[in-house]
């Protein structure tokens, strides 16, 4: 294993282009450093990026919120700008890990680690968040909905890094999206199931975590509800949900519970939006 | 190997260490400061908590390259630092120490909280300590200890 600490973003992008595989970016390290300690990462070239100023900061830019890739979970949950424009995002991270982790775990680290349980992702999916990806020669925007392609598989190229996450403020963001994380306790818990939900202009945006190989939108449920916003029936809703999720049984929970708890919360969210 | 420069308990340090050596090992094995404990090594118990730039972090998850130029504080600083000393006294007075394995981490997390607010509510104390596990006390005395330290410091201020 060789470690690099490039002085600038430009140098980082050159390293990403020049170094042979296997290479790995290191931000907060709350996922990777455990693998290093357990000798599961041994021969990679590791590029440390957390000190790069271009990856930090939370800004309002016209109609979007731009969050630097290396912004920490605590910075997001305490940020005045986020509390003003996206308070539900700040609240949704209240039970992320513990303060000892949230103080250095980063947003892009959570997204790029590509865990099915990543807590920041379901809500960002319903908010239509986009990733800003940069390589030495290109800068491109990728909707978060298109980022994951399979278990721990993404469209991030070998020579790219995430430099920021953008949240458009004119759509879903205005309609109080909700996020629920089901764990065995509040602190230091990994979600057994998680659901993000928002309704606006009779459209629904719903995404789930821990219920598929990666966090994803529930398109069948969204479509069914957009056709039956006020006259949905539980049976059809459940059938649509079954098309969208593939819950498994593992040491955290079992598939029957995961399906049921997801369905219960879906109904609860629907009732809350119908009554308001 | 990298040349690692950082501030430890208000003293400058320069060490030659592998870039992927963990802060926990730097403290315990290189510098023989064994007040910081190793419990789970995966971020779940808080026994290894230190302050990094005034924030409580798990030293088992910090690599040398991440500590470059940082300000680190460990429980050994209780020998000089008023806030740490007061916390230590309060933990003893309220019976918040049994086996003591969690205590250094608890005190460092509590100091990070008191740096933010000298009048923490019960909920703020619970939140600040939620990453620190104690298998002996049941937490009640630990929360009392932090309240007592906050009160003592406020009276002195
Ligand atoms: C005790 C504990 C509790 C936890 N609890 C939770 C929890 O409640 N919810 C949750 O979702 N997660 C949790 N996690 C997982 C972890 O903390 C998060 O996934 C965290 O956000 C990762 O960020 P990091 O900066 O530490 O990532 P790192 O470990 O530095 O990196 C993770 C991955 O992201 C890649 N990466 C990092 N930055 C970039 C970038 N800018 N561009 C491209 N790729 C990048 C790295 O190459 C690596 O593959 C927990 C972890 C621990 C140890
Ligand atoms: S040893 Fe670091 S959190 Fe347990
Ligand atoms: S006093 Fe024994 S673990 Fe807390």
């Amino acid at each position: 294993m060789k470690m690099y600490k490039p002085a600038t973003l430009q140098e980082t992008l050159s390293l990403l282009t020049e170094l042979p595989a296997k290479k790995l970016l290191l931000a907060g390290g709350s996922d990777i450093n455990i693998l290093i300690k357990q000798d599961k990462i041994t021969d990679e070239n590791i590029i440390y990026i957390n000190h790069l100023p271009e990856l930090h900061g939370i800004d309002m830019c016209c109609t979007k919120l731009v969050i630097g890739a290396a912004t920490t979970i605590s910075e997001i949950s305490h940020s005045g700008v986020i509390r003003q424009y996206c308070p539900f995002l700040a609240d949704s991270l209240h039970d992320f890990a513990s303060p000892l982790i949230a103080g250095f775990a980063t947003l892009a680290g959570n997204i790029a680690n590509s865990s099915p349980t990543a807590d920041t992702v379901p809500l960002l999916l319903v908010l239509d968040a986009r990733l800003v990806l940069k390589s030495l020669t290109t800068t491109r925007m990728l909707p978060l909905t298109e980022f994951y392609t399979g278990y721990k598989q993404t469209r991030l190229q070998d020579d790219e890094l995430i430099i920021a996450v953008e949240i458009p403020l004119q759509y879903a963001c205005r309609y109080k999206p909700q996020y629920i994380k089901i764990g065995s306790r509040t602190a230091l818990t990994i979600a057994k199931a998680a659901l993000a939900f928002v309704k606006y202009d009779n459209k629904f945006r719903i995404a789930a975590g821990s219920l598929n190989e990666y966090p994803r939108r529930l398109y069948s449920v969204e479509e069914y509800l957009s056709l039956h916003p006020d006259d949905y029936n539980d049976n059809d809703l459940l059938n649509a949900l079954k098309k969208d999720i593939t819950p498994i049984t593992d040491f955290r929970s079992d598939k029957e519970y995961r399906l049921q708890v997801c369905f219960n919360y879906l109904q609860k969210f629907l009732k809350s939006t119908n009554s308001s | 190997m990298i040349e690692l420069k950082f501030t430890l308990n208000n003293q400058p340090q320069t060490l030659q260490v592998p870039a992927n050596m963990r802060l926990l090992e730097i403290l315990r094995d290189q510098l023989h400061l064994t007040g910081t404990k190793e419990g789970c090594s995966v971020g779940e118990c808080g026994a290894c908590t230190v302050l990094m730039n005034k924030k409580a972090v798990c030293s088992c998850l910090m690599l040398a390259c991440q500590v470059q130029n940082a300000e680190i504080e460990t429980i050994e600083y209780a020998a000089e630092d008023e806030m740490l000393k007061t916390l230590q006294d309060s933990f003893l007075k309220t019976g918040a120490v049994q086996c003591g394995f969690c205590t250094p981490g608890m005190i460092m997390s509590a100091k990070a909280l008191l740096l933010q607010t000298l009048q923490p509510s019960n909920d703020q104390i619970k939140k600040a300590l939620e990453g620190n596990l104690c298998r002996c006390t049941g937490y009640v005395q630990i929360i009392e200890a932090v309240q007592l330290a906050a009160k003592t410091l406020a009276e002195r201020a």
Side-chain angles (χ1 to χ4, degrees), chain B residues 19-83:
Chain B
N20 64 348
M21 184 177 247
R22 299 180 305 156
L23 176 56
L24 180 63
E25 278 141 13
I26 296 173
L27 294 171
R28 290 183 57 89
D29 302 342
Q30 302 278 305
L31 298 166
H32 306 294
L33 295 176
T34 52
T36 305
K37 305 298 179 213
E38 177 163 18
C40 65
S41 258
V42 292
E44 287 179 1
C45 75
C48 66
T49 307
V50 302
L51 295 196
M52 178 160 161
N53 302 329
K54 313 263 181 238
K55 282 191 300 194
V57 299
C58 303
S59 62
C60 70
L61 293 181
M62 281 295 153
L63 302 186
C65 65
Q66 297 176 283
V67 177
Q68 194 67 269
N69 301 322
E71 210 181 279
I72 303 291
E73 237 179 73
T74 67
I75 190 65
E76 282 81 4
Y77 198 39
E80 294 165 51
D81 179 71
E82 194 199 346
M83 197 179 265

Side-chain angles (χ1 to χ4, degrees), chain A residues 214-250:
Chain A
Y214 50 91
R216 49 161 289 192
R217 289 263 298 274
L218 305 184
Y219 290 115
S220 309
V221 173
E222 288 180 8
E223 193 188 331
Y224 171 69
L225 287 171
S226 67
L227 296 172
H228 301 275
D230 302 313
D231 63 340
Y232 62 88
N233 77 59
D234 287 350
N235 227 349
D236 293 344
L237 185 63
L238 183 62
N239 283 334
L241 179 63
K242 283 181 182 164
K243 281 189 209 154
D244 283 334
I245 66 173
T246 48
I248 58 164
T249 295
D250 64 5

Side-chain angles (χ1 to χ4, degrees), chain A residues 1 3 5 26-30 33-34 36-38 48 50 94-95 97-101 103-104 185 187-188, chain B residues 19-20 22 25 38 41-44 46 49 55-58 61-63 65-66 68 109 127-128 130-133:
Chain A
M1 179 190 324
M3 301 201 76
K5 190 173 181 179
L26 170 65
S30 61
N33 292 352
I34 293 178
I36 294 178
K37 158 77 180 160
Q38 295 170 343
Y48 182 53
N50 236 6
H94 186 262
D95 294 331
S98 76
L100 302 179
I101 309 283
F104 65 94
R185 50 183 182 162
L188 282 173
Chain B
N20 64 348
R22 299 180 305 156
E25 278 141 13
E38 177 163 18
S41 258
V42 292
E44 287 179 1
T49 307
K55 282 191 300 194
V57 299
C58 303
L61 293 181
M62 281 295 153
L63 302 186
C65 65
Q66 297 176 283
Q68 194 67 269
S109 282
K127 177 78 196 157
E130 74 182 9
N132 296 84
L133 302 190

Side-chain angles (χ1 to χ4, degrees), chain A residues 20-37:
Chain A
K22 310 170 174 178
K23 54 199 155 190
L24 200 55
L25 295 163
L26 170 65
S30 61
D31 283 309
I32 289 189
N33 292 352
I34 293 178
L35 300 177
I36 294 178
K37 158 77 180 160

